[in-house]
Every structure is written in C-alpha cells, then in structure tokens.
Amino acid sequence: MELTLKIWRQAGPTAKGEFATYEVKDISPDMSFLEMLDVLNERLITEGTEPIAFDSDCREGICGMCGLMISGEAHGPERTTTCQLHMRSFSSGETVTIEPWRANAFPVIRDLVVDRTSFDRIIQAGGYVSVNTGAAPEAHSVPVPKEDADRAFDSAKCIGCGACVAACPNASAMLFLGAKVTHLGELPQGQPERDSRVVKMLDEHDLQGFGGCTNIGECSNACPKEIPLDVISTLNADLRKAASRSR
Amino acid sequence: MTDTLSEYFTVGDPIADTKAPDVPIEQMWTKHQFDSALVNPNNRRKLDVIIVGTGLAGASAAATMGEAGYNVKSFFYQDSARRAHSIAAQGGINAAKNYNDDGDSTYRLFYDTVKGGDYRSRETNVYRLAEVSANIIDQAVAQGVPFAREYGGLLDNRSFGGVQVARTFYAAGQTGQQLLIGAYQAMERQVAKGTVTEYSRHEMLEVIIVDDVARGIIARDMVTGEIETHLADVVVLASGGYGNVFFLSTNAMGCNVTAAWRAHRKGAHFANPCYTQIHPTCIPVSGDHQSKLTLMSESLRNDGRIWVPKNAEDCEKDPRDIPEEDRDYYLERIYPAFGNLVPRDIASRQAKNMCDEGRGVGPKVGDFRRGVYLDFASAIERLGRPAIEAKYGNLFDMYSRITGEDPYQVPMRIYPAVHYTMGGLWVDYDLQTSVKGLYAIGEANFSDHGANRLGASSLMQCLADGYFVLPNTVRDYLAKPQARITEDHPAVVAAKNSVTERIDALLSINGERTVDSFHRELGNIMWEYCGMERTDEGLRKAIDLIRSLKDEFWRNVRVLGAADTLNQSLEKAGRVADFFELGELMCIDALHRRESCGGHFRAESVTEDGEALRHDDEFAYVAAWGFGGEDGAPVLHKEDLNYKFIELKQRSYK
Ligand SMILES: Cc1cc2nc3c(=O)[nH]c(=O)nc-3n(C[C@H](O)[C@H](O)[C@H](O)COP(=O)(O)OP(=O)(O)OC[C@H]3O[C@@H](n4cnc5c(N)ncnc54)[C@H](O)[C@@H]3O)c2cc1C
Ligand code: SF4
Ligand code: FES
C-alpha cells in the first residue's frame, strides 16, 4: 500500500517545528506502524536526510516508551500502543498526520520524542509503599481478597505511556495518577500512606504543569491498557477523605 | 585445545578461587555475610555507587543501596527507569516457598536449576539464589505487587517447564511489569529522599579504570550529546543481556552489550558467551521489514498440538484442508513421553529441523518457510471455545493483532527465536568481575543459569542479586575505600577522549550503508551459524564473515547528524560496533566447546538417536574469556565446575 505521511520535524527542544511530507510505497499490511517508520528512515538515510526521531523499546505494547499522535488520535485509530498498531488498520492512498504528544508537561526533545520525566516526579511524590529491603513480613501474613488483588492489578496495568495526557484537551494526568492511587489503595500494604499519597501526588501533578480534570473522558478512551475512568473517582474520593481526616 | 584452533585464541591461567567460603553449602552465605566488613552509616553517604541499568537487577540494587544511605547514581538509556526490558517478562518468578506442600525446598530449587542449566552453572551461587528466593516474594508483596491470589486471599502458584512442583508466582501475563514497577517505585522513593540520582537517557560508553580498579564511567547524555565523567567508589553493571546481537530477538530494540563489552575490553572476563536460549513459541518472521520477534507464552504448549505437513507439497495449502493422516505431529512422534511439552531447547531444534527439511509453513522469507503449526482445533473440540478463551484469550488476541489471522479458526504459526543469553561478565561469589570494584548483576552476569535457563528463574536471579546479594557483598569492598581521584587524572582523561574519538570516527565515515543493514546482516550470520545448531565448519565460516563485515562497517557505514543532539543512528552505530566484536567471540567460544549442552548444540556431538551429547570429562568448566588486545586473540581462562552436591547426569526426555 501507499501512504502520504505528514510528519512533525523539530530539530531540538527550542527549535521551531514544522510538518514535512513524505510519500511511502510498498507498505506491507503486516508491518507495525513503527516498522513502517523504520522503512522510511532507512530510505531517508540513503537519500542523505536525517532520520525521524521517535521513541520505542519493547515493541510489544508493554514498556510504554512509544507514543504518537496519529491523525489526531493518541496511538492512532485502534485502542492499542503505537508499536502494536499495524498497517492493515490503514487503507492505501490515505494521508496520515504524525505528531508528538502535545502537553506543556511533556516538552518536545526532537521530532516525535517528548520528555515524560514529569510522570516519574509524580511517582516520587508518593507513588510507592514505604518498606525497606529486608524489612518485609512473610508474604502470607496478610491475605488479600482476590477481588481486591484483581482490581489492584487492573489499575497497575498502566504503562505510563502518556496517551491519556495527550488525548485530554486539558492535558491532565488524572488517569495516570488515579491508576496508581487505585493500585496501591486496593491493597492492605497501601493503606498507611493512603491519605498522604493522594495529596502529595496531586500537588506534584499540578506543579509539573498538567491541567485539571473536567470529566471529559478522552483519557480512558485513548488508554491502550483500558484503565477505566472510575480510577479518577477513586482518586477524588481518596482526596476528600484525606482532606476530612486532616482537619 | 587442538592445534587447529590455536589461531583463534590462546589459553591463559585457570581461575582457581571464586571466594565462596569452604563450609557446607547451607552455611556458606550466612558465614560469608558475617565475615564481610560493615560500613558505618555515617560513612555511607560519602561513598558513591554507580549502577548502570534499572531493570529488576539495577532498580532493586539502587533502591536497596539508597535505603542503606549510599550515594547512588543510576544510569539508563530509556526516558524512565520503569521501561527497562524486565518490564516485558510474562510468565512468572520462581521461589522456594513450598506454599503448596508439594515437596519444594531450597535444595530442590537448587537442584532443578543446576539440572535445567545442563550442569554448567556454579553450585555455590545457585544455592544462594535458591536460599534468598523466598524473601523476594515477601519483599515484592510488601511493596504492593499485585500477584495472582486464590479466593482465600493467599498467593496462587503455577508450575513451569522442567520442574514438578508449583513454585512460580505470577501476575497474569505481566509478572515482569509488576515486579519492575515495585522495584522502580522503591527506587523513586529514594530519589525523593535524595539518596538516588537518576540519569535518564544516558548511555554508559566506557568504564574508568585507574591502577586496575574501576573508578567510574563515561556516559553520553543522549539529549545534549555531552560526554560526562562520573567517578565513584564502586561501579555496578546491571545492563541486561545481549540477545540483540542476532538482530531479531524477543528483546527490546535498545538492548545491547555495550556496557558489558566496554568492561570486557578493560579487563573484565566474558564468560560462556555462546550460550543463547532460543524460545520455541514465538510469532514467526513475516518479512524483511521485521524489527523484532514476539514471544507467545510457553503455556500454550499445554493444549496446542504442534505439527507440519508430512509432504512438502502441502505446505502452501490451507492447513484445514490437510487431512489428519497427512500431518506430522513430530514432537509427539519423536518424544512420546513428553510430547509437545519437551524443554525449550529440544522443541526449538526440532522445529528448525522440520523447516530445514522443507516442511515449514507460512510465508516464504528468503527461500524458506520458517514456521510450524500450533493447533488448538482438537483442544477447542474437546474443551469448548469458551474454556480456551478463558485460558489463552489475551495471547490469541495478541497473535491476531500481529498476524491478522484468527487462531480460533486457523492454527497459529510459531517459530523459535532468540530470547535470553546465559553468558555474560564473569563474576565471583561476590558478583565482582575480574576487575576490582566492578560488579555485574542480573542477566549481565553469567553465573546462575549454566547452558540453559529454566522458565521463571531470571526474574528471581535479577531480584536476588539486586535486593539481597550485591548490597551485602559490596559492603566488604566499600569498607576500605580507595584514595580519591579527580577528573584530570590521566586515566580518566584518556577514557573520556577514547569515547569522543569513537563518536567522531562513526560520524565521519559517511559511507553508503545504514547501521540497521549491517546489524541485520550480522544477525543473519549469527543465526545461521551460531544459532540453534553449530558446526565446526559453520563457525569458522561465520568468524570470517563477521571479520569482513566489521571491516566494511568501519569503512562504509553512514551515520548522519551531529554528536551534540539526540541522534538515534549514532546510538545504534556504537552498539552494533560492539556487537561485531561480541559476535566473533561468541563464535570462537562455540567453536572451542566441542560438546552439545543446553542452548549450545554442536552437530558433531550427538547421541546415537540424535540428541545433545555433553562431554563432562573435557568441558565441565566455565569459559572465561580475557580481552586479547585490539588485534590479538582472546585468552581462555578456565574455571573448573566442581559438583560437590549434585551428581552430573545426561538429560533425557524420551
Ligand atoms: C519477552 C520476554 C519474556 C520473559 N519472560 C520471563 C519470565 O516470565 N520469567 C523470567 O524469569 N524471565 C523472563 N524473561 C527474562 C528476563 O525478563 C530478563 O532476563 C531480565 O528481566 C533481565 O533483567 P536485567 O535487570 O538484568 O536487565 P534489563 O531489564 O534488560 O535492564 C537493562 C538496563 O540496563 C540499561 N542499559 C543497558 N545498557 C546500558 C548502557 N550502555 N548505558 C546505560 N544504561 C544501559 C537499560 O536502560 C536498562 O535499564 C523474559 C525475557 C523476555 C525478552
Ligand atoms: S493511564 Fe493509560 S494512557 Fe495513561 S499513561 Fe497509563 S497506560 Fe498510558
Ligand atoms: S515500544 Fe514498548 S509499548 Fe510500544
């Protein structure tokens, strides 16, 4: 198949960016979206043009490293990661626009690569259980009801890709944050720090320049791991409880 | 060594002492820890620890060393520590908890691991691994890792290939992700406390060695291109495995050997490089564009039946049109006792044999069809589609997403792929390499898995090393700190200059070919001659091919762009350059080991019925290779494997 690609090119964090247009031919429907870009890059190098920078690592949909806005949709038309999107989701002759995640808290580094370390700083603010190595009790000393463990797992599936932020008109990271708060909040191990966790993580979220949540729901629609919107309700409920308890 | 091999390597001094104390194996680790010196808490923050890598090994080590109060600097090439390749592990993690009262014990885990490794691992290290395994689960649970649970609220277990007890803990098909998130969160907590500093998008490109002691690293900031010097009291490499030397593998795109290889060139021995684990159930190659191969969980072999057409003419047909009598269920035919559940190395080799005979299925890649069927039709008939969906639904979805085929309707196609590397930097009982002050943990070292790794035991080793072993062994070393050095020390300056020169060299060649085209070609050579089956003749040929390809690379590679910006071609070029040198050493190692064992199958060393034949009288040793200089031959140091507690036996699955 053949496609017209309009790709965001930006030489560096402070450089001005613009779209460049590339025609690609001989695309196999079995290629992943990133393999299609690999093929284009090989051609660009041969022609003497610098290849397009984009992030990826596992290419299995689990590391969260890849992430592109494809024709206005985070990770493209299917609900999956960019590396697991395949070219059979497109039709020959289409024009496809490819951009980096757009959010103040995710500055562009080059072309399609953005800086997502603001997510790490949110985790640093309290996205953990405080237990030193060697200080852990016997694993069976605290049973966890299966339903709770399963729900914790469902929230823990977040891969930190940032699609939720990119999809949100406010560039809010509430889905990411809600997923962590719910993961740890469902488990007995997460209870002692439950109140302080939500407060500190939310403060950090705002400090990093993410926007507020106005319940639009685009985040959850774009999430490749199908993190449900109700983790944000959990987050809000935790916040209210924390506020009432600290009074 | 026979004379005909002497052009490839020389033989150096044997390795005598690995530092394990000479007491009964159950007392060794306790005694060793007690005998190690302590570092006063007030002195710890004055000691700088560099850890390269944030996979399960590196992140757990950084968190633990940070908690102890050392000043830890953590380096990794991804944007976030949470993305290290450990994230991709699916199946599970072993631990001798005996929660099912099915006869498990430290000793049994130790025994299974040594046997599974085809008797080429080191007893003392493996015993310790088994010993600390139970603590790992406690630690992970306390951190909030959501392992699978039973309705009673207790942890659930699975059983994995090669063992008869259920000792594998798991979190759906994402055990690696959940364990890594636990370790990453523990590490981020230390970042907030200021004991750990993260250097994201930083690639370590050289070790600094002063008077034979590791004193720091040279790293490139991959965003600004700045070449930075970082000095430390101890350097720990947790940089993962080198399966990407094959280009196509189940590893992440960025996995590489650079950190370990740079250390090797500075004096660290590289042990058993030729031991590669090939995983039998991966999605086959579909075309030349392919950038990686995807693993399908081994659990599929519990219900799927593996077959190829009996007649080569049928290979193009729709498999559903091939009648039962024209199908060859070859594993069930050759290994009636184990059938489709033979171990990884055997299942892989037989799939290759079928395709080599011209009975492979799926699209032709080159002249070959590289695929065999994994058929669920009879399981669906027997158990019903809903049961199969419940058990394997997510794997079936993943398969159909990648291939565009519906495995409920047509049989899946699978083919073996490179998955894991058992070789790595040689380490002693303390996990110290042959360079003082330089340690290697996780997949980057060699000690625990021998010639073949059992499922679910790498995650265990990485976390054992990072949470429990390294933090205890490194203390003794740090208790006697080295004299301070400064950045203007000639050895430091030289290390930095060599990195800059290498980058300039790569950028100035401006040849005709892309880095990827070289990597792909190297991968083909490695797969063809140093992959599932190796021969004397093939390996010699491969060495010649690699040497001339390497030559061409340094004359004809094209790396565009500049050094002072994010430059992904430049990053790849440096890694591929190191893969050439490693690839050559892998072939030399495979050539000299004239026996078949585990992941290393030498066609010349087979039993009468075609199975792998080990030669314990000649090869029961670790091959630890020393760097022989820029144009010199590698130097073989042998560490004899003394099996004091477990008796050596041939494996049989018939
Ligand atoms: C698809 C797949 C499934 C698997 N499933 C299982 C399983 O179910 N059970 C099991 O036990 N094992 C499994 N394994 C094996 C296991 O996942 C790995 O062996 C293990 O996670 C390796 O961990 P590590 O910490 O040693 O290295 P990695 O997790 O690979 O981490 C390497 C780190 O080093 C960094 N790094 C590397 N080079 C440099 C450099 N030059 N400069 C700076 N940083 C660098 C990287 O950024 C990264 O942080 C699986 C492997 C694969 C590929
Ligand atoms: S919540 Fe979903 S979209 Fe957001 S970072 Fe996590 S996985 Fe990505
Ligand atoms: S590259 Fe890892 S999720 Fe896409």
Side-chain angles (χ1 to χ4, degrees), chain A residues 79 153-159 175-176 178-179 219-221 223-231:
Chain A
R79 199 169 183 189
F153 175 81
D154 286 340
S155 316
K157 283 198 291 202
C158 165
I159 56 175
L175 195 70
F176 168 79
C219 51
S220 184
N221 283 335
C223 173
K225 297 298 151 184
E226 306 185 16
I227 302 291
L229 210 51
D230 66 9
V231 299

Side-chain angles (χ1 to χ4, degrees), chain A residues 57 88 120 124 138 180, chain B residues 97 184-185 188 253 401:
Chain A
D57 204 19
R88 63 182 85 89
D120 293 322
Q124 284 154 26
E138 205 320 298
K180 186 49 57 193
Chain B
K97 278 280 197 190
Y184 154 80
Q185 286 172 183
E188 296 304 304
M253 299 306 285
R401 175 166 288 291

